[in-house]
Amino acid sequence: MPKPPIVDVVAETGQAVEPPPPEILEPDTDLSPEDIEQARRDYLLTRFWMSAKGFWGANGGKLAWVLSVGLIALIITNVAFQYAINVWNRAIFDAIETRDSAAVFYLTGVFFPLAMGSVALGVFQVFARMGIQRRWRAWLTDAVVSRWLTNGRYYQLNLVSGDHENPEYRIAEDLRVATDAPVDFASGVIAAFLSAATFIVVLWNIGGALTLTAGESTFTIPGFLVVAAVIYAGVTSGSMVYIGRHFVAVSESKNQAEAEYRYALTRVRENGESIALLGGEEEERNGINKTFASVIKQWALLCGQHMRTTVVSQGSSLIAPVIPLLLCAPKFLDGSMTLGHVMQAASAFTIVQSAFGWLVDNYPRLADWNACARRIASLMMSIDGLDRAERGDGAGRIQRGETEGDAILRLTDLSVTLDDGTAVVGEAEVTIDTGERVLVAGESGTGKSTLVRAIAGLWPWGGGSVNFHPNRRLFMLPQKPYVPFGTLRRAAAYPAGAADWTLGEIGAALDKVGLGHLKDRLQEEGPWDQTLSGGEKQRLAFARLFLHNPDIIVLDEATSALDATSQDQMMDLLNKELPNATVVSVAHRVELEAFHTRKIVLERRKGGAKLVSDIDLIQPKGKRRLLGRFLRQRKTSP
């Protein structure tokens, strides 16, 4: 028996899906880079539908099937109304031709209910169609964002290669198009199919056969109006496919250029203070102009594609209504067709041609959807890769477990690598007991921050294990603290909710860290990330730390923006407020040794940095501040 395919369980659907082809997962094949890239692109739409179709599954939208079935029913009913109006069209022109005023009066009264019913059906179709689009987008956005925010994926994507640049644009814009367009396409195809099937019968019955004489030969074309409609639609659709064959590639490039331009503008806003202080406006303008020039170039290429396709679509819309009149004219003139038959045939021909020409009218949007679906699928694939790495597939993965006894943290044969396997830190064996304060030192670039991120669980690549004591809470203070939008109260409580502490408790924490002057502004909303200085942000991070009261604290250059005296105050305060907490610090300042009980030194070596020393720094109680001052004086003395 053949083996069942290996599957990935994707979080956003709860369904098992097939992984990418081997040539994508294992690029070290005999295939050329172009073939691998083509295989990846071919897989992208499949990957998108693996997740997107879950909306109609067990874990999907509650009203997904109700709205979908309702939309189909409305389309069928609307086609029936189209047929009724088509029959009315024949009757009214026959009545006009025979000058039957009673029939004209009666048919006029019939038309308004038909028109109102058709309009009402159109309104309900819009409601059902947009209801599906809105709910589908919300469902898939929730699923993708959940995976993106889980286990630091949003951070890890910055560390790995792949086609997932500007994920925020993909989630906000590409996902919108990727869920809007298929609903329009599906309803359009169903309506086109039903209309074509219905009105081909009308054309066949009305037109009958056409007999042509050429010299002594006679040719009879059965259902000549149907044949003409099919040939005409084939020519226009084929022309559209040929002319717009580059539409997808141009749309993808346009979307990527737009994302990069938006990102460039966002970067200027987020780093406004640094740019203003350095006077970098001109250089930023050059960068923005460069990215915007790429946007304009891509829009110019897209404009060319639209111009070429407009030739076909506009020409088709002008010619299609005339063809049935010309084809029916001989039969009308010889009396075998009434004026009503001619007008009904013309209306039916236009509807059939519109149905057959669905691709002509929608090819540009179909190309844009193709590009957007591939971009969101690329992001999904990158997250899939991180999920596989977490399960231990492919590159090595750092294991996480629990310690026993007094050890609160134990690194066992821990190695840290890049996602491609390049070594950063070699095998490390460290045990840290409850209450210890450990300083991780070493030259810049030796992997200290990477090691700390591995301990915190943000860096997954490597080997060995990081083991924590069960039921211990970890809190990390990075060098650049994050300040969210909203009130200062929210910023102080982050990542917990602003209401988790009273204003008095948060104000007391601000007092401790030297930010008491901001207490009266806790409820004030504003751009605090731009308002607070680097030192104030680090003080705010310590205030958060004291509010959360964790068991394990990881400091990554958390006092780098503070002067020496303020640094001593923060570290003294940390020892006073959280005396039983375990602290792991990364820092360059030698004065910080006075606030730690151990020092671990990393040294750059071939094959990854190594732990070259593990020194006890236990100082007599009450002498740490004096030692810090002595070390500073020794550092500054001539």
Side-chain angles (χ1 to χ4, degrees):
M1 292 181 64
K3 294 182 179 180
I6 300 174
V7 296
D8 285 334
V9 177
V10 181
E12 69 256 18
T13 61
Q15 299 175 353
V17 298
E18 295 182 8
E23 56 266 30
I24 299 177
L25 293 176
E26 302 173 8
D28 296 331
T29 64
D30 295 333
L31 297 176
S32 66
E34 292 77 13
D35 291 335
I36 294 174
E37 174 61 17
Q38 186 59 48
R40 187 190 71 85
R41 289 174 61 83
D42 291 342
Y43 174 77
L44 288 177
L45 292 183
T46 301
R47 176 63 189 88
F48 172 78
W49 284 115
M50 285 178 183
S51 295
K53 68 183 181 182
F55 177 64
W56 287 270
N59 300 318
K62 295 180 179 178
L63 296 177
W65 280 106
V66 173
L67 289 172
S68 299
V69 172
L71 179 60
I72 294 173
L74 288 168
I75 291 172
I76 294 173
T77 307
N78 197 39
V79 171
F81 267 74
Q82 278 187 310
Y83 176 73
I85 292 174
N86 182 259
V87 173
W88 177 90
N89 207 35
R90 181 186 67 186
I92 191 69
F93 278 100
D94 281 343
I96 292 173
E97 185 180 27
T98 59
R99 293 178 174 80
D100 186 347
S101 58
V104 171
F105 181 78
Y106 169 75
L107 290 171
T108 302
V110 170
F111 174 77
F112 288 101
L114 287 175
M116 292 175 63
S118 181
V119 170
L121 286 170
V123 171
F124 286 123
Q125 272 187 248
V126 170
F127 174 80
R129 175 173 51 81
M130 296 193 72
I132 296 172
Q133 291 170 327
R134 185 175 68 253
R135 286 173 170 80
W136 191 15
R137 180 188 180 187
W139 178 85
L140 190 56
T141 297
D142 178 70
V144 174
V145 169
S146 294
R147 295 190 69 208
W148 183 53
L149 292 178
T150 297
N151 297 333
R153 296 286 184 259
Y154 54 91
Y155 168 74
Q156 294 169 3
L157 286 174
N158 298 323
L159 309 174
V160 299
S161 58
D163 180 17
H164 49 255
E165 297 89 351
N166 312 113
E168 63 284 346
Y169 184 89
R170 296 172 190 248
I171 294 172
E173 183 63 19
D174 291 328
L175 195 148
R176 178 190 65 81
V177 176
T179 51
D180 276 4
V183 180
D184 291 338
F185 296 156
S187 59
V189 167
I190 293 172
F193 174 79
L194 294 175
S195 297
T198 300
F199 289 97
I200 279 176
V201 175
V202 173
L203 285 178
W204 189 280
N205 291 332
I206 292 177
L210 178 66
T211 301
L212 299 175
T213 302
E216 297 181 355
S217 300
T218 301
F219 301 94
T220 299
I221 304 175
F224 74 99
L225 290 177
V226 176
V227 173
V230 172
I231 293 175
Y232 184 77
V235 171
T236 54
S237 298
S239 301
M240 179 64 77
V241 171
Y242 178 77
I243 290 174
R245 63 190 182 279
H246 301 302
F247 227 121
V248 173
V250 173
S251 294
E252 285 185 342
S253 298
K254 183 266 295 181
N255 289 347
Q256 181 60 33
E258 290 280 12
E260 292 175 357
Y261 176 57
R262 185 176 298 183
Y263 180 70
L265 295 174
T266 302
R267 288 283 295 169
V268 172
R269 177 178 58 80
E270 291 179 343
N271 298 277
E273 181 181 9
S274 297
I275 295 171
L277 291 174
L278 292 171
E281 292 83 359
E282 188 64 30
E283 183 61 26
E284 291 300 324
R285 181 59 183 267
N286 292 337
I288 290 173
N289 287 346
K290 183 178 179 180
T291 55
F292 185 65
S294 177
V295 171
I296 295 300
K297 177 182 177 182
Q298 295 303 323
W299 271 103
L301 295 174
L302 190 63
C303 176
Q305 292 291 328
H306 275 288
M307 290 170 64
R308 286 188 284 274
T309 55
T310 299
V311 171
V312 178
S313 60
Q314 190 77 6
S316 174
S317 65
L318 292 173
I319 297 173
V322 178
I323 290 178
L325 296 177
L326 297 178
L327 293 176
C328 292
K331 287 197 168 190
F332 174 74
L333 294 175
D334 66 17
S336 58
M337 290 183 72
T338 67
L339 179 61
H341 285 124
V342 172
M343 300 310 296
Q344 185 183 16
S347 174
F349 186 93
T350 302
I351 293 174
V352 170
Q353 170 54 35
S354 177
F356 281 153
W358 181 88
L359 177 64
V360 174
D361 297 329
N362 290 275
Y363 192 81
R365 194 177 177 201
L366 180 63
D368 192 38
W369 170 82
N370 195 313
C372 292
R374 284 181 174 179
R375 279 174 52 80
I376 195 67
S378 294
L379 176 61
M380 292 176 176
M381 282 185 62
S382 294
I383 299 177
D384 292 345
L386 294 174
D387 289 341
R388 284 191 292 272
E390 187 169 354
R391 295 197 304 270
D393 301 342
R397 182 79 185 188
I398 298 173
Q399 303 300 313
R400 305 187 72 79
E402 297 181 355
T403 62
E404 298 178 353
D406 294 333
I408 195 170
L409 173 63
R410 179 176 289 119
L411 311 183
T412 304
D413 197 24
L414 178 66
S415 60
V416 183
T417 68
L418 302 180
D419 66 306
D420 60 3
T422 303
V424 177
V425 177
E427 295 81 3
E429 294 279 348
V430 177
T431 299
I432 299 175
D433 292 333
T434 301
E436 281 197 289
R437 282 158 162 70
V438 180
L439 177 65
V440 181
E443 297 179 354
S444 297
T446 53
K448 301 185 300 299
S449 294
T450 305
L451 177 62
V452 166
R453 282 161 175 73
I455 293 173
L458 294 177
W459 193 282
W461 302 282
S465 63
V466 176
N467 303 303
F468 284 97
H469 196 288
N471 302 319
R472 295 296 190 270
R473 295 179 300 114
L474 181 144
F475 200 92
M476 185 167 182
L477 270 66
Q479 183 177 3
K480 296 179 179 179
Y482 173 66
V483 180
F485 289 114
T487 65
L488 182 59
R489 181 181 184 179
R490 182 191 179 214
Y494 193 86
D500 286 7
W501 292 276
T502 65
L503 290 174
E505 289 171 330
I506 296 177
L510 294 183
D511 272 330
K512 292 175 183 177
V513 299
L515 295 178
H517 58 284
L518 296 176
K519 286 193 302 182
D520 295 336
R521 303 177 65 186
L522 280 172
Q523 296 288 62
E524 181 180 324
E525 292 196 13
W528 291 106
D529 184 55
Q530 305 295 327
T531 303
L532 299 177
S533 67
E536 287 176 322
K537 291 178 186 177
Q538 291 192 340
R539 289 175 183 271
L540 181 65
F542 274 92
R544 289 176 186 164
L545 178 64
F546 300 143
L547 289 171
H548 283 269
N549 191 22
D551 303 294
I552 306 171
I553 303 167
V554 179
L555 308 176
D556 184 12
E557 300 284 358
T559 59
S560 60
L562 300 175
D563 59 78
T565 301
S566 298
Q567 174 181 264
D568 285 355
Q569 291 172 349
M570 288 299 104
M571 296 306 294
D572 273 338
L573 192 60
L574 174 60
N575 291 335
K576 176 183 176 183
E577 294 291 326
L578 303 174
N580 298 320
T582 302
V583 179
V584 178
S585 300
V586 168
H588 290 93
R589 292 179 177 177
V590 68
E591 307 93 286
L592 285 172
E593 291 183 10
F595 302 95
H596 295 80
T597 58
R598 287 171 62 186
K599 179 181 179 181
I600 296 175
V601 180
L602 279 175
E603 186 176 288
R604 188 183 292 106
R605 298 284 182 86
K606 186 177 181 180
K610 303 291 184 181
L611 296 179
V612 297
S613 65
D614 188 344
I615 309 168
D616 287 334
L617 296 174
I618 299 176
Q619 305 297 330
K621 189 174 181 180
K623 293 187 177 181
R624 290 181 182 173
R625 179 183 293 276
L626 294 175
L627 178 61
R629 291 176 181 171
F630 168 74
L631 290 172
R632 283 197 301 276
Q633 291 171 359
R634 186 178 66 177
K635 185 177 179 180
T636 57
S637 60

